[in-house]
Every structure is written in structure tokens, then in C-alpha cells.
Amino acid sequence: VYFKNLVNKRYDPYDESKSTALSVSDKEILRSSIVSAVVHSIPTVRSLLLAACEKMIRADFPKNWPGLLEELYPTISNGASEQIVAAL
């Protein structure tokens, strides 16, 4: 819950100069691990991670997250049905 709320409040796509906004390097770290975290989490945690992931995708894709589709493709093409749903 804390992570979802942190992303909702501090993942500002428009003004990274705000004192409360996450830094570019923090966003890069989150982007590099969120897809794997969503895919490998239990359903109750997954729903919270997906809410945060949606905010991140809306803010950063495609300009700041051009590799997102390449991250999703292996899971969609080789994953179990639960992992495919998580990836989508």
C-alpha cells in the first residue's frame, strides 16, 4: 500500500523539480524492477503493484520507457496464464 501511494503522490511526469517528486534515477530503478515484481507477486500484492505500474506507464511510456514492450514480450509469449494476465 505504501509503495502504491508513494508512486501516486511522487511520480510526477510533469514537474520533476518539485521537492516531493521522485528523481530521474529513482524512476529508472522503479522501471527496471516493476514488471518483474508484478509478474512474480501474489495476487493481493499484484493488484497494488499494478495500480502503481499503471501510473508509471501513463507517465513514462513511450518517451521515457521505450523498452517496456521488450520487457513484457517474454512473459506474454512464454508465461503461464496468471503471468500473462499480470503482464497485460
Side-chain angles (χ1 to χ4, degrees):
V1 173
Y2 176 79
F3 176 73
K4 178 185 71 81
N5 291 338
L6 176 115
V7 169
N8 279 333
K9 291 177 184 171
R10 298 186 58 201
Y11 206 98
D12 191 338
Y14 304 108
D15 190 2
E16 292 176 348
S17 65
K18 285 186 192 176
S19 63
T20 59
L22 290 173
S23 69
V24 172
S25 62
D26 287 341
K27 288 180 179 182
E28 289 172 1
I29 291 167
L30 292 177
R31 285 192 300 262
S32 71
S33 57
I34 189 72
V35 172
S36 177
V38 168
V39 169
H40 294 99
S41 64
I42 61 173
T44 53
V45 174
R46 184 178 301 134
S47 65
L48 298 171
L49 291 175
L50 282 171
C53 191
E54 178 184 359
K55 168 94 177 189
M56 294 167 61
I57 290 170
R58 289 182 186 275
D60 289 347
F61 183 77
K63 182 179 177 186
N64 295 322
W65 200 352
L68 175 63
L69 296 179
E70 287 80 19
E71 289 180 50
L72 293 174
Y73 181 76
T75 301
I76 293 170
S77 63
N78 298 324
S81 61
E82 189 173 293
Q83 289 180 329
I84 292 170
V85 170
L88 295 174

